[in-house]
Amino acid sequence: MTTDTSRAELDAVVVGAGFSGMYMLHRLRDLLGLSVRVFEAGDDVGGTWYWNRYPGARCDSESYLYCFSFDEDLAQEWSWSGKYPEQPEILRYLNHVADRFDLRPDIRFGTRVTAAHFREDLNRWEIESDQGDRVLARYFITAIGCLSAGQVPNIEGLDGFEGDWYHTGAWPHEGVDFAGKRVGVVGTGSSGVQAIPVIAEQAGHVTVFQRTPQYMIPARHGTVTREFLEEAKRNYNEIFEKRRWTQSGFPFDPSERSALEVDDEERRAIYEAAWEQGGFRFLSATFSDIALDRRANDTAAEFVRSKIRDTVRDPETAEKLVPRDHPFASKRTLIDTNYYETYNRENVTLVDIRHDPIEEITASGIRTRDGDHDLDIIVFATGYDAMTGPFTRIDIRGRGGAVLKEKWAEGPKTYLGLVSAGFPNMFMITGPGSPSVLSNMPVSIEQHVEWISDLVGHMLASGLEVAEAAAEAEAEWVDHVNEVASKTLYLLADSWYLGANIPGKPRVFMPYAGGVGNYRKRCDEVAAAGYEGFVLRGGESVAAR
Ligand code: NA7
């Protein structure tokens, strides 16, 4: 424990001031009247949207669905400019929320929480920051995001690179001037795929280093009009209520047809129509069994492969871009704008590093087995230590000094993705074991924030001091999360859902694939049954549910 420069005793400490932390602060402070401090590593609000300022950064949930629903006036007064919001627009929205609810006075910016230890003698969390804070709080709430611990691969020679390099998730605020530069982009997930076409328009030359080819669905920005967005506002209640009960937090009607019950011509026509509309609807509005049945999935995969071959003029490049080693949508589905078309540009080269691996970074670029690629700038779009990384980089200790990182060494163990046994009064917003990254995030965030504040309200009203997961309830939930995942095709890909992108990380499917609506129902039932699966303690009395 470090120097004690700032002491305070609070009801709650919230870590992170993105969507989750901001709404959590509002609920606890303005609804329950608690004293709350939010610690935020960035210099302003926004979380993911504060950090991810790379060219082309935007959300691939549609704007009118990627926002808060808890306040109708907020929903009515804000107008989105188009189908998919770009990073600056989402950041403006979150700044608007911060101003509207006067959140900033309770957020300490530029401050990273380094440790949180549960003090059994006090029934309080002792929380420390890199700025020397040391505070006590009854509740310790993580709003740290699922994709906030960026990973730059450990490639020999990076230190000696004489150009500039950046990770997409820690992009300089002043931007990067690519004009005339030779740029290497490592990684072709959502971030790389958004950035590459935009960088290619500015740079002298772009070399893309691709490890795994991915399936992409076009965004089709023009398919949402201002009239549509105004209409959506008028149907605010209906749309947002529907959003809460679907599989992924989008209010779209899923198809009930199997991809195998229609003939080739009809199937192709259905895929074509969804392809023209663009976006995530392709996953749900086409057929019901794409994510579950390998043969059905193959039809979607083959359709996307044919689109790649139709778009990319050089057949050799097209074949490098065609995904073959995993089912469609078993990694995070990507939504693109001009991605495949970008490979028709003269100034873009694709290096398939599965066949021509990166050997080292030299002073002047990247050396692969087959040759040297001279570069002025390297962009690492190499993703995150997803879901557990944001937790394990904080020194979190529960009862008896138990270390969360050690408890989770073989994979995250949570009850409902909200709590972890042995870590009393610690609540995780969109923690592992909840739908989180498999859903439209604001929907899952609102559900967790409201559920947590309801529990805290219940504790206050009932004189309870401590809420904690029962070990058996947690074990059952972990089994359930695994069982649900085993019925999907997710386990057939090396994805960050499974930790496969981080060397040495245990291969465990971390999010809950049972669907946002089913999950919400389960959480509601747990609460209605007096917080079943929790041990609630108040003063001397102990209530095991
Ligand atoms: P992702 O989706 O994890 O993508 C990272 C990309 O970087 C992906 O193509 C990886 O290949 C590649 N990668 C990772 N490590 C390496 C190394 N060591 N060498 C070469 N290539 C590597 O991160 P994003 O930032 O694009 O997106 C994160 C999420 O943000 C996204 O899913 C949305 O939810 C929003 P791989 O596929 O692992 O072979």
Side-chain angles (χ1 to χ4, degrees):
M1 292 269 165
T2 52
T3 348
D4 178 10
T5 57
S6 169
R7 274 192 175 274
E9 181 146 0
L10 298 147
D11 292 318
V13 159
V14 176
V15 190
F19 269 92
S20 312
M22 289 168 66
Y23 185 32
M24 194 77 245
L25 167 60
H26 172 57
R27 288 289 288 206
L28 294 179
R29 187 191 68 183
D30 301 333
L31 196 81
L32 298 179
L34 301 190
S35 61
V36 185
R37 181 169 304 162
V38 178
F39 289 106
E40 165 56 55
D43 288 331
D44 208 338
V45 297
T48 291
W49 303 105
Y50 173 88
W51 297 104
N52 279 267
R53 296 169 190 246
Y54 60 84
R58 63 164 84 217
C59 183
D60 41 21
S61 292
E62 293 179 29
S63 59
Y64 73 103
L65 302 172
Y66 191 78
C67 49
F68 287 120
S69 71
F70 68 85
D71 186 295
E72 177 151 12
D73 291 342
L74 170 64
Q76 295 302 336
E77 74 201 11
W78 185 262
S79 294
W80 295 102
S81 67
K83 186 174 182 182
Y84 297 101
E86 291 185 89
Q87 174 270 334
E89 189 173 10
I90 305 173
L91 195 56
R92 277 200 300 281
Y93 171 73
L94 291 171
N95 273 279
H96 171 70
V97 173
D99 294 338
R100 195 181 193 291
F101 297 100
D102 195 23
L103 300 178
R104 285 195 177 81
D106 293 302
I107 306 174
R108 186 187 274 267
F109 293 107
T111 306
R112 187 176 284 283
V113 167
T114 50
H117 296 177
F118 185 67
R119 291 274 305 265
E120 285 181 79
D121 52 337
L122 303 172
N123 273 344
R124 296 282 190 285
W125 282 89
E126 187 166 37
I127 293 141
E128 290 195 1
S129 81
D130 63 355
Q131 300 301 310
D133 300 270
R134 184 193 283 183
V135 299
L136 287 174
R138 182 176 295 283
Y139 303 104
F140 171 55
I141 302 177
T142 61
I144 50 184
C146 301
L147 296 159
S148 53
Q151 74 118 8
V152 174
N154 187 13
I155 304 173
E156 202 185 307
L158 181 58
D159 286 349
F161 178 57
E162 286 173 357
D164 298 318
W165 65 267
Y166 308 93
H167 185 274
T168 47
W171 201 258
H173 287 202
E174 63 279 13
V176 175
D177 182 7
F178 291 106
K181 300 277 172 50
R182 297 162 304 174
V183 182
V185 181
V186 184
T188 55
S190 298
S191 305
V193 162
Q194 289 184 340
I196 288 162
V198 182
I199 296 174
E201 283 174 8
Q202 302 164 15
H205 191 91
V206 176
T207 307
V208 177
F209 297 87
Q210 171 195 270
R211 187 163 71 178
T212 309
Q214 296 250 50
Y215 300 92
M216 276 158 237
I217 306 297
R220 307 276 185 230
H221 296 292
T223 52
V224 157
T225 59
R226 188 158 295 282
E227 293 70 43
F228 176 90
L229 293 171
E230 288 304 317
E231 180 66 16
K233 274 199 208 181
R234 280 192 287 279
N235 297 326
Y236 157 89
N237 276 316
E238 190 188 322
I239 289 174
F240 283 173
E241 183 55 13
K242 192 164 176 187
R243 198 177 70 151
R244 295 185 184 109
W245 296 100
T246 57
Q247 174 73 18
S248 309
F250 296 104
F252 311 143
D253 292 319
S255 167
E256 286 173 7
R257 261 173 321 207
S258 162
L260 305 175
E261 72 184 52
V262 295
D263 64 25
D264 290 353
E265 198 182 333
E266 187 179 354
R267 190 185 309 112
R268 177 129 198 132
I270 289 167
Y271 283 141
E272 281 290 357
W275 187 263
E276 282 314 308
Q277 201 177 15
F280 286 130
R281 278 189 181 81
F282 190 95
L283 301 177
S284 58
T286 49
F287 299 105
S288 58
D289 47 358
I290 290 177
L292 302 172
D293 182 298
R294 188 64 200 254
R295 286 191 310 140
N297 188 282
D298 284 345
T299 66
E302 204 42 50
F303 176 84
V304 178
R305 291 182 194 122
S306 74
K307 289 292 184 188
I308 300 170
R309 293 181 175 117
D310 288 350
T311 308
V312 179
R313 285 199 287 271
D314 173 40
E316 207 181 307
T317 305
E319 287 315 306
K320 285 185 195 167
L321 288 164
V322 166
R324 297 181 183 81
D325 72 342
H326 61 282
F328 172 68
S330 57
K331 288 167 86 99
R332 166 65 150 73
T333 303
L334 309 186
I335 307 296
D336 84 286
T337 302
N338 291 331
Y339 181 69
Y340 294 122
E341 289 82 351
T342 294
Y343 291 94
N344 293 331
R345 295 177 65 103
E346 291 293 316
N347 69 335
V348 177
T349 309
L350 179 64
V351 178
D352 170 3
I353 62 170
R354 279 218 197 274
H355 294 102
D356 178 15
I358 294 176
E359 290 191 334
E360 61 174 321
I361 296 178
T362 63
S364 59
I366 293 182
R367 177 170 296 151
T368 61
R369 191 191 57 199
D370 294 350
D372 280 303
H373 303 270
D374 288 338
L375 303 168
D376 304 306
I377 297 173
I378 302 175
V379 174
F380 289 101
T382 42
Y384 298 87
D385 183 355
M387 307 200 69
T388 50
F391 289 93
T392 55
R393 65 181 179 174
I394 304 175
D395 174 16
I396 300 175
R397 298 180 191 210
R399 272 189 203 291
V403 178
L404 188 75
K405 187 175 177 171
E406 287 170 10
K407 179 180 173 186
W408 287 8
E410 303 302 321
K413 293 185 174 53
T414 72
Y415 178 43
L416 300 168
L418 278 160
V419 282
S420 192
F423 296 80
N425 288 359
M426 170 180 159
F427 301 112
M428 298 174 277
I429 305 173
T430 67
S434 71
S436 62
V437 292
L438 300 180
S439 72
N440 180 25
M441 288 302 282
V443 181
S444 291
I445 287 168
E446 282 192 330
Q447 186 250 336
H448 266 190
V449 167
E450 288 161 13
W451 197 93
I452 292 166
S453 65
D454 287 352
L455 170 54
V456 170
H458 169 72
M459 292 173 71
L460 290 172
S462 315
L464 296 163
E465 287 201 2
V466 174
E468 180 172 2
E472 319 79 66
E474 176 170 292
E476 277 171 31
W477 183 253
V478 170
D479 286 349
H480 177 59
V481 170
N482 288 329
E483 194 206 330
V484 171
S486 72
K487 294 184 181 135
T488 69
L489 300 177
Y490 284 123
L491 303 189
L492 301 181
D494 287 336
S495 68
W496 55 257
Y497 297 144
L498 282 156
N501 62 327
I502 303 294
K505 196 165 171 176
R507 195 178 174 90
V508 173
F509 191 77
M510 295 179 283
Y512 177 56
V516 162
N518 294 332
Y519 174 80
R520 176 185 289 272
K521 186 163 172 281
R522 177 72 183 256
C523 290
D524 288 353
E525 286 165 0
V526 164
Y531 294 96
E532 186 183 13
F534 279 77
V535 179
L536 301 172
R537 291 191 172 84
E540 293 309 302
S541 67
V542 176
R545 310 275 159 174

